[in-house]
Amino acid sequence: MKLKRYSWLPLLPFFLFTGYFLLWPILGVTLKSFHNNAGEWSLSNYTPLISGAYRHAFATSIRLSIITSVISSVLGAFFTLVIVKNAGSRLTSIIESIAAVFANSGGVPLAFMYIAAFGAEGMFTKILKFFGWNIYAGRFTLFSFTGVVLVYTFFMTPLMVIVFRPAILGLRKEWSEASLNLGANTLTYWRRVAIPILTPSFIGSFFLLFAGAFSAYATARALTVGTVPLVPIIIGTLVDGNVISDQANLGDALAVGMIVVAGVAMIGYIWAQRSAAKWRQS
Amino acid sequence: MKIGRYSLNAFTIFLAGTIFFLPLLAAAEFSFRKPGGKGHSFTNYSWLLQQEGFLPALGTSLRLAVLSGALNLILMVPTMVVLNLKAKRYKSIVDFICILPLIIPVVSLAIGAQVSMPEFLQNTEYELVFFFVIVALPYTYRALDSAISAVDIKVLVEASRSLGATWFATIIKVIIPAIRSGIIGSLFLSFALAIGEFTLTSLLHWDTFPTWTVVAAQQNILGAIAISVFSFALAIFALTLVGILAARKKNQNLVLENEEVE
Amino acid sequence: MAKQRASSTLKLENVTRSFGTTVALDGLNLTVQPGELVALLGPSGCGKTTALRIVAGLETADSGSLLVNDVRYNDTAVNDRDMGMVFQAYSLFPNMTVAENIDYGLRARKMDLPKRMKQVRKMLQLVDLEEKSTRYPHQLSGGQQQRVALARALAIEPTVLLLDEPLSALDAQVRSQIREEIRAIQLELGITTLFVTHDQEEAMAIADRVGVMNKGKLEQIDKPTVLYNEPATPFVASFVGQANRLPATITGKGNVKVLHQKISLSRHSTDLRDGLPVEALIRPESITLTTENDDEATQGLLVSKSFLGPLTKLGVALEGLPIIHINSQSKDVKSLEIGDRISFKIVADEIMAQNV
Ligand SMILES: Nc1ncnc2c1ncn2[C@@H]1O[C@H](COP(=O)(O)OP(=O)(O)OP(=O)(O)O)[C@@H](O)[C@H]1O
Ligand SMILES: [Mg+2]
């Protein structure tokens, strides 16, 4: 019994580490964002966020994140399903690794590779043109909003495969067999069993993707060089000192604003997890 | 049945291939184009090697990645083992903390680091190592956790202890081999992430391989594409190798078990 | 009380099935009469589950036919078969309450609501879980979950009920209780039932007839008592119940010499040639204690004694032989102590033997 009371002790390094390198910085920037140039408590850093360019940036970032997470979560869920159903263990582990590379270290290289593939001279563009689809017929460029959506989808879909796979693996074979045995067809099984069971994980994954897209910096930075106003890019230029602002702590306020938006996604994520608690084993 | 299965499999591979790999192949082709003119050559790749910053930036990245991988293991392997063995009730909180880096914007973390980290840490590029480990947490945690839950670690440890093994021997001889695939996976994920990390590095004003690439792109976009193709192919190759090795290990175990039964 | 439904005959004829190089079923023949409960018993991997899944349609036979009331069923779709199946565990839909689970098959049949509600209530009553109807599966004990699974399978009034080790995930006490409940319900409904298990006690207790399978084939199928007392093959003899395996020799004229006794060979032990060393299979209760001066007696050292209520199990050591197990009435062996020398002999009209 005595032992049990101290069972957290071996976890102390982990808690200290994440506390100091994750929570403490977040706390620090939050506090600083509420101080003005003179070091007094103030909301002045937040006033620019409510209107004008910064508000627009938040709106653009949020819109981009919603669109890409919708596309990626649906596409990714479909892929995961097919992978889990069909791929053997070796193929699966290869796919997992590739997905991890896309999702994780994609950032900069991915952006340049899509510049190469989808650029006006890119081979992919030419292939599409050969099949009768000139993507540059309209006003498309890779450096536009649509272009960013396209590239984001390429690293978010694999992320979906990674985060959604456990949920699909959790579907027991017995359920589909019992359903068939009881006289229901496959469609009914999906409608009444599989989809309800997967929905919480799907929504949870969606919010994770949203947060991922919202905070993505590398891809947009390498791709747009500021043509699409996204919050992380603006923070980046403030930090680099490329933009002179009379408010020293404006960047901090923007960073906290991002945390708030991400926090809303977090709440969505937790809500999705909880909503299943009624029937899910804890 | 079988035909349906395989054709569906083929269809997926085709679809994923078209969507994900054709662009990569297109990029690879692009990276071999001669600057300005027609035809293909290694010009862009040899240009890379002539750049002064290239090798030092690559060196920094590798150094940081090795350290991140090591720190990740030192921190996470004991934590995950203890968590599953002795402190199950803290699992949900650790779970929560490990998902946070996916949610908290890395940009915000970078700004926070500038605000909160002491001077001496901010003056060395090794501060990145700590944050790389943090940012990799969601992936490394998952890799270790799934490996640990796949074996009944509690039973293993009890068996080993009851046969008179010391804790040290139990960890070295029983636990680590049992979760080897998870350890390798987690190591490579943290390594790969550290090699490719851009956001923190750039906002904290350090020079590594990815930030150097972005700067180089302003001079020579073809060169930047060549770097990207090269590093991407390398990462996929390395991770795939790890994946196959881990899977093969598992298969061998299965075969052995079967033989013992018969 | 329950509606009497027309019971069906289930027949498997020469069914084979291989997975790669593994032959799971190797020409299985089996008939289950209307209203009968047949238990399939056999060692792990002998093909029990495969047989059941072929009946349910979850697996296809490579060859042979499956007949229900003499109608070929091989090509009927799974969800048209009207067969209720109870799985080993975890088959309840976790996102549905007990009542919704039971209702699932009825809803799939597009029955109207009042009828469905009535049927669900009836099933809840049948498995005695009326108070739990709004619970979710994870809020139930393992035994309750399996009762719900049974109710769900029975709700659709299946032609055949199939159970694949439905009790193996439960602990011993609950297991025997639910076993009896299943049997009572089966008898009440008079439903043709195939019950797969690897627990011989369970099979003996629940079934009208027990089929013993080995390597994808049916070795023997008969009433539990016949199976036990007159095993048709050595495999059945050693698999069903316990048996001492003692070295013996065939002495001709259908006799076998074992220990100091000569006993007639069971008519099922054919193809054994005279003079050959064989292995005799002798049940622990076919050995009794006797006095030293009995000419047929064998002496040995008592090395173990375990009290099992009315019976006591003795272990006797003889030089060069495995420990011989004897089941005696507890009251007869009260005074014996470990280390005693005891005399015993085989009391059986005929015994089984097999080649070594
Ligand atoms: N889907 C499958 N793929 C490959 N082999 C299989 C498959 N299903 C069963 N087998 C093999 O067929 C044989 C019979 O399996 P089956 O599940 O019918 O055995 P069982 O009698 O039910 O055993 P147990 O008592 O362990 O449940 C086994 O050797 C098994 O390995
Ligand atoms: Mg089985």
Side-chain angles (χ1 to χ4, degrees), chain C residues 38-272:
Chain C
V38 166
L40 278 184
L41 182 64
S44 187
C46 70
K48 307 179 296 288
T49 298
T50 307
L52 200 76
R53 289 171 62 83
I54 285 176
V55 175
L58 297 169
E59 202 75 75
T60 47
D62 294 337
S63 68
S65 27
L66 165 70
L67 305 167
V68 176
N69 292 330
D70 295 320
V71 176
R72 194 179 142 94
Y73 251 55
N74 288 47
D75 306 316
T76 310
V78 196
N79 49 350
D80 287 335
R81 285 198 185 195
D82 269 338
M83 291 183 179
M85 178 143 175
V86 178
F87 295 80
Q88 194 163 351
Y90 311 116
S91 71
L92 295 180
F93 306 125
N95 58 325
M96 297 181 197
T97 61
V98 167
E100 286 165 347
N101 262 285
I102 298 176
D103 184 41
Y104 190 88
L106 306 175
R107 211 168 137 174
R109 282 170 174 65
K110 304 211 162 56
M111 273 165 71
D112 54 32
L113 191 61
K115 246 186 171 166
R116 274 162 46 196
M117 281 171 61
K118 201 171 137 220
Q119 179 75 341
V120 169
R121 214 169 300 132
K122 196 169 103 186
M123 288 301 131
L124 283 168
Q125 230 166 12
L126 196 65
V127 296
D128 201 19
L129 280 173
E130 286 133 302
E131 315 91 87
K132 310 277 185 202
S133 67
T134 56
R135 295 283 184 90
Y136 284 91
H138 78 97
Q139 298 168 312
L140 303 177
S141 72
Q144 290 167 338
Q145 288 183 22
Q146 287 307 76
R147 269 146 67 191
V148 176
L150 178 67
R152 184 178 68 176
L154 288 172
I156 59 172
E157 309 202 334
T159 52
V160 177
L161 179 64
L162 306 169
L163 304 108
D164 189 3
E165 309 202 17
L167 308 176
S168 62
L170 309 177
D171 52 37
Q173 214 173 349
V174 188
R175 198 184 312 182
S176 61
Q177 184 202 332
I178 296 187
R179 177 172 86 197
E180 271 150 38
E181 282 182 32
I182 291 178
R183 177 59 163 163
I185 290 169
Q186 186 267 336
L187 285 173
E188 185 180 328
L189 301 179
I191 183 169
T192 308
T193 303
L194 195 55
F195 186 108
V196 161
T197 176
H198 60 246
D199 177 345
Q200 47 159 306
E201 186 199 325
E202 190 169 287
M204 301 290 212
I206 201 172
D208 292 307
R209 285 190 302 152
V210 176
V212 179
M213 282 182 70
N214 184 27
K215 296 186 180 148
K217 277 198 180 104
L218 201 59
E219 291 256 335
Q220 184 180 9
I221 178 164
D222 219 318
K223 292 197 193 87
T225 49
V226 177
L227 216 58
Y228 190 82
N229 296 320
E230 298 168 41
T233 66
F235 176 82
V236 176
S238 55
F239 191 78
V240 177
Q242 286 161 318
N244 290 298
R245 290 155 175 267
L246 298 177
T249 18
I250 307 288
T251 56
K253 297 197 203 84
N255 284 331
V256 59
K257 184 170 184 302
V258 56
L259 298 174
H260 304 306
Q261 294 172 263
K262 208 179 249 183
I263 305 173
S264 47
L265 193 58
S266 155
R267 68 197 132 89
H268 295 299
S269 298
T270 50
D271 79 329
L272 296 177

Side-chain angles (χ1 to χ4, degrees), chain A residues 41-253:
Chain A
W41 286 93
S42 147
L43 285 175
S44 61
N45 297 315
Y46 285 93
T47 37
L49 271 60
I50 315 171
S51 60
Y54 295 114
R55 196 178 82 164
H56 178 65
F58 268 98
T60 312
S61 269
I62 290 173
R63 193 157 62 96
L64 172 73
S65 309
I66 291 177
I67 294 173
T68 52
S69 359
V70 167
I71 299 173
S72 307
S73 54
V74 172
L75 210 60
F78 173 73
F79 280 146
T80 317
L81 208 68
V82 179
I83 290 169
V84 168
K85 265 194 115 174
N86 297 288
S89 74
R90 185 161 305 186
L91 183 58
T92 306
S93 71
I94 294 174
I95 292 172
E96 280 254 293
S97 317
I98 293 172
V101 175
F102 268 93
N104 245 322
S105 51
V108 173
L110 214 55
F112 287 121
M113 287 165 78
Y114 289 113
I115 289 175
F118 288 101
E121 282 301 306
M123 197 165 76
F124 203 68
T125 310
K126 284 182 179 165
I127 292 173
L128 290 179
K129 207 185 238 165
F130 178 79
F131 286 107
W133 183 19
N134 181 5
I135 52 174
Y136 285 96
R139 292 208 324 271
F140 175 84
T141 87
L142 209 50
F143 311 101
S144 65
F145 186 82
T146 324
V148 177
V149 168
L150 182 74
V151 178
Y152 272 35
T153 306
F154 275 94
F155 74 85
M156 306 250 306
T157 307
L159 182 61
M160 181 69 182
V161 173
I162 293 176
V163 297
F164 197 54
R165 200 168 82 100
I168 297 209
L169 285 175
L171 285 179
R172 302 190 68 99
K173 201 176 88 189
E174 283 91 341
W175 297 334
S176 64
E177 291 185 349
S179 172
L180 276 177
N181 179 257
L182 291 164
N185 56 26
T186 310
L187 194 71
T188 309
Y189 163 71
W190 276 98
R191 202 166 44 80
R192 296 203 50 217
V193 182
I195 290 180
I197 289 174
L198 291 176
T199 300
S201 303
F202 181 81
I203 296 175
S205 307
F206 170 82
F207 281 114
L208 280 186
L209 292 197
F210 175 88
F214 184 71
S215 61
Y217 174 71
T219 315
R221 170 68 201 280
L223 201 63
T224 66
V225 209
T227 46
V228 179
L230 297 172
V231 186
I233 301 291
I234 290 179
I235 294 179
T237 47
L238 281 174
V239 170
D240 287 346
N242 294 347
V243 175
I244 310 300
S245 163
D246 43 353
Q247 275 161 310
N249 300 345
L250 176 63
D252 303 327

Side-chain angles (χ1 to χ4, degrees), chain A residues 89-90, chain B residues 242-254:
Chain A
S89 74
R90 185 161 305 186
Chain B
V242 172
I244 290 178
L245 287 180
R248 173 178 303 169
K249 180 83 200 327
K250 245 183 260 160
N251 289 343
Q252 271 172 0
N253 284 347
L254 279 181

Side-chain angles (χ1 to χ4, degrees), chain A residues 4-5 7-8 10-11 13-15 17-18 20-26 28-29 32 75 78-79 82 86-87 89-91 93-94 97-98 100-106 108-110 112-118 121-124 126-127 153-154 157-159 162-163 166 208 211-212 214-215 217-218 221-222 232 235-236 239-240 251-252 255-256 258-259 262-263 266 269-270, chain B residues 5 8-9 12 15-16 18-27 29-30 33 71 75-76 79 82-83 86-87 89-90 93-94 96-109 111-118 121 130-131 133-134 137 139 142 189 192-193 196 198-199 202-203 205 210 213-214 217 221 224-225 228-229 231-232 235-236 239-240 243-244 247-248 251:
Chain A
K4 195 148 206 182
R5 199 170 331 138
S7 62
W8 52 268
L11 298 178
F14 173 81
F15 286 129
F17 186 85
T18 50
Y20 189 67
F21 290 105
L22 179 62
L23 304 181
W24 178 242
I26 298 303
V29 67
K32 194 154 166 253
L75 210 60
F78 173 73
F79 280 146
V82 179
N86 297 288
S89 74
R90 185 161 305 186
L91 183 58
S93 71
I94 294 174
S97 317
I98 293 172
V101 175
F102 268 93
N104 245 322
S105 51
V108 173
L110 214 55
F112 287 121
M113 287 165 78
Y114 289 113
I115 289 175
F118 288 101
E121 282 301 306
M123 197 165 76
F124 203 68
K126 284 182 179 165
I127 292 173
T153 306
F154 275 94
T157 307
L159 182 61
I162 293 176
V163 297
L208 280 186
F214 184 71
S215 61
Y217 174 71
R221 170 68 201 280
I235 294 179
V239 170
D240 287 346
D252 303 327
V256 173
M258 285 191 73
I259 296 174
M266 177 92 236
Y269 176 77
I270 294 172
Chain B
R5 203 188 113 140
L8 197 60
N9 217 343
T12 319
L15 196 68
T18 326
I19 296 183
F20 288 95
F21 282 99
L22 224 51
L24 301 192
L25 284 181
E29 183 269 337
F30 207 89
R33 287 195 195 171
L71 180 60
L75 182 72
M76 290 311 287
T79 300
V82 168
L83 195 64
K86 297 253 161 187
R89 58 201 171 123
Y90 297 105
I93 172 128
V94 173
F96 178 76
I97 292 176
C98 289
I99 204 90
L100 275 181
L102 273 189
I103 303 225
I104 292 176
V106 181
V107 176
S108 306
L109 186 62
I111 306 288
Q114 284 174 335
V115 173
S116 304
M117 290 296 113
L121 250 186
F130 300 105
F131 292 107
V133 170
I134 289 283
L137 268 186
Y139 304 99
R142 210 178 269 271
L189 282 170
L193 189 132
F198 176 78
T199 312
S202 136
L203 292 176
H205 304 293
T213 310
V214 172
I221 184 80
I225 290 166
S228 303
V229 170
S231 61
F232 215 81
I236 288 185
L239 273 176
T240 305
I244 290 178
R248 173 178 303 169
N251 289 343

